[in-house]
Amino acid sequence: MTSGGIWDGGVVGDCSDGESVGSDERKGSNLGALFNIVCSIAGAGTLGMPYSFRQGGWVAAGFIVLSSVVAWYTGVIMVECLYYDPGKRLSSYPAIGEAAFGRAGRVFVQFFHYTIVLGVSTLYIMLAGINIEMIVSGAGGKLEAECMRLDCRAADIYSVCSCA
């Protein structure tokens, strides 16, 4: 760890190595982003595809192709919105809303962005709890529903607190 860190008596967030707190310098790479996207999609979506195809047939395949085309096109539009001003890049979805519609656009986009972020994480936790309960009950065990609801509430509170 560098000097000024937590292990050698420094303060967390101490910028004695020349970095400024809250700097806009990005440290990610295209390869790292690609790795994260592929892992997320492969882990969450790909494993359920055979079952989805079995349930939906060719109609489901058509919707999946249509959804992928729409997602690609909205990604292209999003990149154009991020770089609408030459030499300057907008930093977030709310910044795009503000550039397009002013302060009201920023508030509108920010509200729905936070709603989606919290809603998806809550739904994921609830589905994970339901699946764990099914696995445990299938193995002959018993898991109380109240315990699962408390776990989901604790995760929701953590999500709200970390987002604020």
Side-chain angles (χ1 to χ4, degrees), residues 1-28:
M1 182 144 202
T2 61
S3 65
I6 192 169
W7 300 113
D8 55 357
V11 178
V12 175
D14 184 16
C15 298
S16 60
D17 59 351
E19 256 185 63
S20 63
V21 174
S23 68
D24 287 335
E25 182 182 345
R26 309 279 191 233
K27 298 205 190 300

CSV table of all heavy atoms in Angstrom, one decimal, residues 1-28:
chain,number,residue,atom,x,y,z
A,1,MET,N,0.8,-1.2,0.0
A,1,MET,CA,0.0,0.0,0.0
A,1,MET,C,0.9,1.2,0.0
A,1,MET,O,2.0,1.3,0.6
A,1,MET,CB,-0.9,-0.1,1.2
A,1,MET,CG,-1.9,1.1,1.3
A,1,MET,SD,-3.4,0.5,2.0
A,1,MET,CE,-4.5,1.7,1.4
A,2,THR,N,0.4,2.3,-0.6
A,2,THR,CA,1.2,3.5,-0.7
A,2,THR,C,1.3,4.2,0.6
A,2,THR,O,0.5,4.0,1.5
A,2,THR,CB,0.7,4.4,-1.8
A,2,THR,OG1,-0.7,4.8,-1.4
A,2,THR,CG2,0.7,3.8,-3.1
A,3,SER,N,2.2,5.1,0.8
A,3,SER,CA,2.3,5.9,2.0
A,3,SER,C,1.1,6.8,2.2
A,3,SER,O,0.5,7.2,1.2
A,3,SER,CB,3.5,6.8,2.0
A,3,SER,OG,3.4,7.7,1.0
A,4,GLY,N,0.7,7.0,3.4
A,4,GLY,CA,-0.5,7.8,3.7
A,4,GLY,C,-1.8,6.9,3.8
A,4,GLY,O,-2.8,7.4,3.9
A,5,GLY,N,-1.6,5.6,3.6
A,5,GLY,CA,-2.8,4.7,3.6
A,5,GLY,C,-3.2,4.4,5.0
A,5,GLY,O,-2.6,4.8,6.0
A,6,ILE,N,-4.2,3.5,5.1
A,6,ILE,CA,-4.7,3.2,6.4
A,6,ILE,C,-3.8,2.3,7.2
A,6,ILE,O,-3.8,2.3,8.4
A,6,ILE,CB,-6.1,2.5,6.2
A,6,ILE,CG1,-6.8,2.4,7.5
A,6,ILE,CG2,-6.0,1.1,5.5
A,6,ILE,CD1,-8.3,2.0,7.4
A,7,TRP,N,-2.9,1.5,6.5
A,7,TRP,CA,-2.1,0.5,7.2
A,7,TRP,C,-0.9,1.2,7.9
A,7,TRP,O,-0.3,0.7,8.8
A,7,TRP,CB,-1.7,-0.6,6.3
A,7,TRP,CG,-2.8,-1.3,5.8
A,7,TRP,CD1,-3.3,-1.4,4.5
A,7,TRP,CD2,-3.8,-2.1,6.5
A,7,TRP,NE1,-4.4,-2.1,4.4
A,7,TRP,CE2,-4.7,-2.6,5.6
A,7,TRP,CE3,-3.9,-2.4,7.9
A,7,TRP,CZ2,-5.8,-3.4,6.0
A,7,TRP,CZ3,-5.0,-3.2,8.3
A,7,TRP,CH2,-5.9,-3.7,7.4
A,8,ASP,N,-0.4,2.3,7.3
A,8,ASP,CA,0.7,2.9,7.9
A,8,ASP,C,0.4,4.2,8.7
A,8,ASP,O,1.2,5.1,8.8
A,8,ASP,CB,1.8,3.2,6.9
A,8,ASP,CG,1.3,4.0,5.7
A,8,ASP,OD1,0.1,4.3,5.7
A,8,ASP,OD2,2.1,4.3,4.8
A,9,GLY,N,-0.8,4.3,9.3
A,9,GLY,CA,-1.2,5.4,10.1
A,9,GLY,C,-1.8,6.6,9.4
A,9,GLY,O,-2.1,7.5,10.1
A,10,GLY,N,-1.9,6.5,8.1
A,10,GLY,CA,-2.5,7.6,7.4
A,10,GLY,C,-4.0,7.7,7.6
A,10,GLY,O,-4.6,6.8,8.2
A,11,VAL,N,-4.6,8.7,7.0
A,11,VAL,CA,-6.0,8.8,7.0
A,11,VAL,C,-6.6,8.3,5.7
A,11,VAL,O,-6.0,8.5,4.7
A,11,VAL,CB,-6.4,10.3,7.2
A,11,VAL,CG1,-7.9,10.5,7.2
A,11,VAL,CG2,-5.7,10.9,8.5
A,12,VAL,N,-7.7,7.6,5.8
A,12,VAL,CA,-8.4,7.1,4.6
A,12,VAL,C,-8.7,8.3,3.8
A,12,VAL,O,-9.3,9.3,4.2
A,12,VAL,CB,-9.7,6.3,5.0
A,12,VAL,CG1,-10.4,6.0,3.7
A,12,VAL,CG2,-9.3,5.1,5.8
A,13,GLY,N,-8.4,8.3,2.5
A,13,GLY,CA,-8.7,9.4,1.6
A,13,GLY,C,-7.5,10.4,1.6
A,13,GLY,O,-7.7,11.4,0.9
A,14,ASP,N,-6.5,10.2,2.3
A,14,ASP,CA,-5.3,11.1,2.3
A,14,ASP,C,-4.7,11.0,0.9
A,14,ASP,O,-4.4,10.0,0.4
A,14,ASP,CB,-4.3,10.6,3.4
A,14,ASP,CG,-3.1,11.5,3.5
A,14,ASP,OD1,-3.2,12.7,3.0
A,14,ASP,OD2,-2.1,11.1,4.1
A,15,CYS,N,-4.5,12.2,0.4
A,15,CYS,CA,-4.0,12.3,-1.0
A,15,CYS,C,-2.5,12.7,-1.1
A,15,CYS,O,-2.1,13.6,-1.8
A,15,CYS,CB,-4.9,13.2,-1.8
A,15,CYS,SG,-6.5,12.6,-2.0
A,16,SER,N,-1.7,12.1,-0.2
A,16,SER,CA,-0.3,12.6,-0.2
A,16,SER,C,0.5,12.1,-1.4
A,16,SER,O,1.6,12.6,-1.6
A,16,SER,CB,0.3,12.0,1.1
A,16,SER,OG,0.3,10.6,1.1
A,17,ASP,N,-0.1,11.2,-2.2
A,17,ASP,CA,0.6,10.7,-3.3
A,17,ASP,C,0.3,11.5,-4.6
A,17,ASP,O,0.6,11.1,-5.7
A,17,ASP,CB,0.4,9.2,-3.6
A,17,ASP,CG,-1.1,8.9,-3.8
A,17,ASP,OD1,-1.9,9.8,-3.6
A,17,ASP,OD2,-1.4,7.7,-4.1
A,18,GLY,N,-0.3,12.6,-4.5
A,18,GLY,CA,-0.6,13.5,-5.6
A,18,GLY,C,-2.0,13.4,-6.2
A,18,GLY,O,-2.4,14.2,-7.0
A,19,GLU,N,-2.8,12.4,-5.7
A,19,GLU,CA,-4.1,12.3,-6.3
A,19,GLU,C,-5.1,13.2,-5.5
A,19,GLU,O,-4.9,13.4,-4.3
A,19,GLU,CB,-4.6,10.8,-6.0
A,19,GLU,CG,-4.6,10.0,-7.3
A,19,GLU,CD,-5.2,8.6,-7.0
A,19,GLU,OE1,-6.4,8.6,-6.6
A,19,GLU,OE2,-4.5,7.7,-7.1
A,20,SER,N,-6.0,13.7,-6.2
A,20,SER,CA,-7.0,14.6,-5.6
A,20,SER,C,-8.3,13.8,-5.3
A,20,SER,O,-8.6,13.0,-6.1
A,20,SER,CB,-7.3,15.8,-6.4
A,20,SER,OG,-7.8,15.5,-7.6
A,21,VAL,N,-9.0,14.1,-4.2
A,21,VAL,CA,-10.2,13.4,-3.9
A,21,VAL,C,-11.3,13.9,-4.9
A,21,VAL,O,-11.4,15.0,-5.2
A,21,VAL,CB,-10.6,13.7,-2.5
A,21,VAL,CG1,-12.0,13.2,-2.2
A,21,VAL,CG2,-9.6,13.2,-1.5
A,22,GLY,N,-12.0,12.9,-5.5
A,22,GLY,CA,-13.1,13.2,-6.4
A,22,GLY,C,-12.6,13.6,-7.8
A,22,GLY,O,-13.3,14.3,-8.5
A,23,SER,N,-11.4,13.3,-8.1
A,23,SER,CA,-10.9,13.6,-9.5
A,23,SER,C,-11.6,12.8,-10.5
A,23,SER,O,-12.1,11.7,-10.2
A,23,SER,CB,-9.4,13.3,-9.6
A,23,SER,OG,-9.1,12.0,-9.5
A,24,ASP,N,-11.7,13.4,-11.7
A,24,ASP,CA,-12.5,12.7,-12.8
A,24,ASP,C,-11.6,11.8,-13.6
A,24,ASP,O,-12.1,11.3,-14.6
A,24,ASP,CB,-13.1,13.8,-13.7
A,24,ASP,CG,-14.3,14.4,-13.0
A,24,ASP,OD1,-14.9,13.8,-12.1
A,24,ASP,OD2,-14.6,15.6,-13.4
A,25,GLU,N,-10.4,11.6,-13.2
A,25,GLU,CA,-9.5,10.7,-13.9
A,25,GLU,C,-10.0,9.2,-13.8
A,25,GLU,O,-10.2,8.7,-12.7
A,25,GLU,CB,-8.1,10.8,-13.4
A,25,GLU,CG,-7.1,9.9,-14.1
A,25,GLU,CD,-5.7,10.0,-13.6
A,25,GLU,OE1,-5.5,10.9,-12.8
A,25,GLU,OE2,-4.9,9.1,-13.9
A,26,ARG,N,-10.2,8.6,-15.0
A,26,ARG,CA,-10.7,7.2,-15.0
A,26,ARG,C,-9.5,6.3,-15.0
A,26,ARG,O,-8.5,6.5,-15.6
A,26,ARG,CB,-11.5,7.0,-16.3
A,26,ARG,CG,-12.6,8.0,-16.5
A,26,ARG,CD,-13.8,7.7,-15.7
A,26,ARG,NE,-14.9,8.5,-16.1
A,26,ARG,CZ,-15.6,9.3,-15.3
A,26,ARG,NH1,-15.3,9.3,-14.0
A,26,ARG,NH2,-16.6,10.0,-15.7
A,27,LYS,N,-9.6,5.2,-14.2
A,27,LYS,CA,-8.6,4.2,-14.1
A,27,LYS,C,-9.0,2.9,-14.8
A,27,LYS,O,-8.2,2.0,-14.8
A,27,LYS,CB,-8.2,4.0,-12.7
A,27,LYS,CG,-7.7,5.3,-12.0
A,27,LYS,CD,-6.8,4.9,-10.9
A,27,LYS,CE,-6.4,6.1,-10.0
A,27,LYS,NZ,-5.8,7.1,-10.4
A,28,GLY,N,-10.2,2.8,-15.3
A,28,GLY,CA,-10.6,1.6,-16.0
A,28,GLY,C,-10.1,1.5,-17.4
A,28,GLY,O,-9.6,2.4,-18.0
